[in-house]
Amino acid sequence: MQSEAKFWDKIAPGYAKKPISDVASYEKTMDRVRSYLKATDRVLELGCGTGSTAILLAPLADSYIAGDISGGMLEIGEEKRVAAGVDNLSFRQGATDAFAGERFDVVMGFNLFHLVTDMEADFALIRDMLPEGGLFIQKSPALGRRWYLKPVIAAMRLIGKAPQVRFFGSEELDRAVEAAGFEIIETDTIPPTGPSRFIVARKR
Ligand SMILES: C[S@@+](CC[C@H](N)C(=O)[O-])C[C@H]1O[C@@H](n2cnc3c(N)ncnc32)[C@H](O)[C@@H]1O
């Protein structure tokens, strides 16, 4: 975990400067997420990076905690939060288990769950943070069909140029969400050409 955090710390300044690669897909995703958020919601976003999504969405909720393992990402996020004047957003360093035992109405993670060590364990922790009916929203690269990237990522990882990545398909991801005790209420592939799987699930 420490080496993963270091990897993301190193790329944080560059990540913050990088423009969104597909603005239409990002906006479509944000529109879908916005439609689920309520002014009374306590929201947790995991793997928030430099906080752009958190700054956008926090004004729609009551409180919004944005977590990430990388202190470097969060420092930039905090600067952006202050500049944007978003008062109900706070950043906290940690992976999913750092929030275990806390209660939220909505837990989200974007471009994160292919990077965690044990996605199924994270989903179980998230379920326990939510009340019945609470929402788990994610968008995750479903790279199962892009198996040919595996050796490329493995080689890049050897020289410290790639994080750990798990290859799963959309079906495997959906089944893992359901197995953790959620009912899926919406899925999409955004953009339709893939590979990002968008899922909104409700705790059963
Ligand atoms: C690809 S970036 C995505 C950032 C942001 N969610 C977005 O969509 O732009 C992945 C982020 O997840 C964080 N991360 C990686 N592994 C993590 C873990 N196990 N728990 C929490 N955050 C993690 C990284 O530090 C990084 O900020």
Side-chain angles (χ1 to χ4, degrees):
M1 180 67 72
Q2 201 131 32
S3 65
E4 291 305 307
K6 277 196 190 135
F7 170 83
W8 291 103
D9 280 346
K10 216 168 5 169
I11 68 163
Y15 196 87
K17 287 191 199 115
K18 224 170 68 179
I20 294 170
S21 61
D22 179 348
V23 174
S25 292
Y26 181 70
E27 283 176 357
K28 183 178 179 190
T29 307
M30 289 302 105
D31 283 346
R32 292 310 306 143
V33 175
R34 277 190 199 99
S35 75
Y36 287 99
L37 295 182
K38 298 195 297 293
T40 51
D41 283 338
R42 294 160 298 169
V43 176
L44 171 65
E45 183 191 338
L46 297 159
C48 67
T50 59
S52 305
T53 295
I55 288 166
L56 200 65
L57 297 179
L60 299 176
D62 176 52
S63 62
Y64 197 113
I65 296 176
D68 200 288
I69 55 168
S70 161
M73 291 280 186
L74 296 180
E75 270 172 35
I76 297 169
E78 177 59 10
E79 281 168 20
K80 286 162 55 177
R81 183 198 70 77
V82 171
V86 178
D87 293 332
N88 67 338
L89 165 63
S90 51
F91 291 100
R92 272 170 50 188
Q93 193 166 7
T96 306
D97 59 358
F99 301 93
E102 298 184 43
R103 303 290 283 170
F104 301 96
D105 301 298
V106 182
V107 178
M108 310 195 281
F110 304 105
N111 303 307
L112 169 68
F113 293 111
H114 62 311
L115 302 171
V116 304
T117 316
D118 186 344
M119 171 176 88
E120 286 80 359
D122 277 19
F123 291 178
L125 288 172
I126 291 166
R127 179 201 57 223
D128 290 345
M129 294 172 197
L130 292 166
E132 202 181 314
L135 295 180
F136 175 27
I137 304 177
Q138 65 171 291
K139 191 161 101 168
S140 304
L143 298 168
R145 296 214 176 119
R146 305 197 178 188
W147 50 267
Y148 49 85
L149 292 175
K150 274 189 187 176
V152 180
I153 289 175
M156 286 172 71
R157 194 157 163 69
L158 280 178
I159 54 166
K161 299 275 184 208
Q164 65 174 19
V165 174
R166 174 166 162 185
F167 283 66
F168 47 71
S170 295
E171 302 76 20
E172 185 182 353
L173 185 61
D174 292 359
R175 295 299 83 76
V177 170
E178 289 171 336
F182 292 95
E183 174 200 2
I184 291 179
I185 53 179
E186 177 177 347
T187 61
D188 203 351
T189 302
I190 308 175
T193 47
S196 279
R197 183 71 165 169
F198 176 69
I199 305 175
V200 181
R202 185 188 287 135
K203 179 172 167 175
R204 280 199 296 263

